Amino acid sequence: MTDRVPDDATLAQDGADLTGSGRVLLVACGALAHEIMALKRANGWTHLDLACLPALLHNRPERIAPAVRDLVEARRDDYDSVFVVYADCGTGGALERTCRELGVGMMRGPHCYAFFDGIDRFTVRGDDEMRAFYLTDFLVRQFDAFVTRPLGLDRHPELREMYFGNYERLIYLAQTDDPALDAKAQEAAGALGLAYERRPTGYGDLETALSGL
C-alpha cells in the first residue's frame, strides 16, 4: 500500500482507493483518510487496507448507506474482514442497519466529532454544547468547500444569521498541533460570528477502534 494520500479536493469529490495487500479492509469517509493513514504509519498496521468514499456524501447522507453497501459487497471477498469507518453521520440509523445486514462492524456514535472527542466525553458535554458548531482538521482545511460555498455565504453573507444565529461558539477538534490550521479555524469562527475554542483531541476513539481490529 502506498502511504501517499490524495489531496483534500480528491477525497471530497471522488474518495480514494488505497488498498494493498492487507487482510482487513477499512471502508471509510474520505474526510478521515489522512488520520487513518497517519495511524497506520505510526502503529505499523500493515494488515489494514483503506478504501474511501467521497467526503461530500455528507451533504447527501441518504446516499451514504447505499454507497457503503456497494463498496463492501464489491470488495469483501478479497479480505478476511471489513470494518466501516463512519459513525451514523446523519443517516438516521440506516448505516447501522446496513452494516448489521452485511455482518460488518462500524464506528459507534452520531458523527466523527463525537468519536474524535471521545464518545463518552462528548455525551457528557451534550447539554453544554448544544449551541456549538464543530470542525475537524479536514473541515478546517475544507471550510469553504463544505460550509461557505454550499450554504451560499460567499454570495449572500446575510444568510449567516439564518444558519448560525442560534450557535454561540465554534469548537475546533484538533487532531494535530498545526498553528496554520488553528489560525484558519479562528478565521472561520470570525466569519461565522462565533466565539472560538480549540480542543486538542488527537485521534480519540478512532485510534482505539482501529487498534482492536
Side-chain angles (χ1 to χ4, degrees), residues 16-56:
D17 188 352
L18 300 172
T19 56
S21 57
R23 303 187 311 276
V24 178
L25 177 64
L26 305 177
V27 173
C29 173
L32 302 175
H34 287 274
E35 288 71 29
I36 293 171
M37 294 301 292
L39 286 168
K40 274 178 50 63
R41 288 190 296 270
N43 293 283
W45 290 338
T46 57
H47 62 294
L48 300 180
D49 286 354
L50 176 62
C52 291
L53 291 165
L56 279 172

Side-chain angles (χ1 to χ4, degrees), residues 97-205:
R97 291 191 295 273
T98 295
C99 289
R100 188 165 58 246
E101 292 167 5
L102 292 169
V104 301
M106 65 174 285
M107 296 291 302
R108 70 184 184 102
H111 38 60
C112 62
Y113 314 132
F115 65 64
F116 277 136
D117 199 18
I119 296 294
D120 294 336
R121 289 187 295 274
F122 189 87
T123 301
V124 168
R125 292 189 182 112
D127 289 343
D128 293 334
E129 297 187 357
M130 289 293 291
R131 292 173 177 256
F133 183 72
Y134 298 97
L135 294 178
T136 63
D137 282 13
F138 179 87
L139 290 173
V140 170
R141 294 194 303 268
Q142 290 292 297
F143 183 78
D144 288 343
F146 277 78
V147 180
T148 305
R149 292 199 296 273
L151 296 180
L153 298 177
D154 54 334
R155 303 178 302 279
H156 301 286
E158 69 275 10
L159 293 174
R160 184 184 71 178
E161 184 63 23
M162 179 187 300
Y163 289 125
F164 295 97
N166 290 323
Y167 289 95
E168 295 177 345
R169 55 182 162 153
L170 182 151
I171 300 177
Y172 168 31
L173 304 175
Q175 284 73 71
T176 57
D177 186 10
D178 186 333
L181 285 182
D182 189 23
K184 189 171 175 60
Q186 290 187 62
E187 289 178 8
L192 300 180
L194 303 177
Y196 177 67
E197 177 183 337
R198 181 184 186 275
R199 181 178 299 162
T201 65
Y203 302 114
D205 290 347

Side-chain angles (χ1 to χ4, degrees), residues 42-76:
N43 293 283
W45 290 338
T46 57
H47 62 294
L48 300 180
D49 286 354
L50 176 62
C52 291
L53 291 165
L56 279 172
L57 283 176
H58 281 283
N59 290 346
R60 298 296 300 272
E62 74 278 5
R63 296 182 180 178
I64 293 176
V68 167
R69 179 185 293 277
D70 288 346
L71 184 51
V72 171
E73 290 179 340
R75 303 296 297 275
R76 70 185 310 164

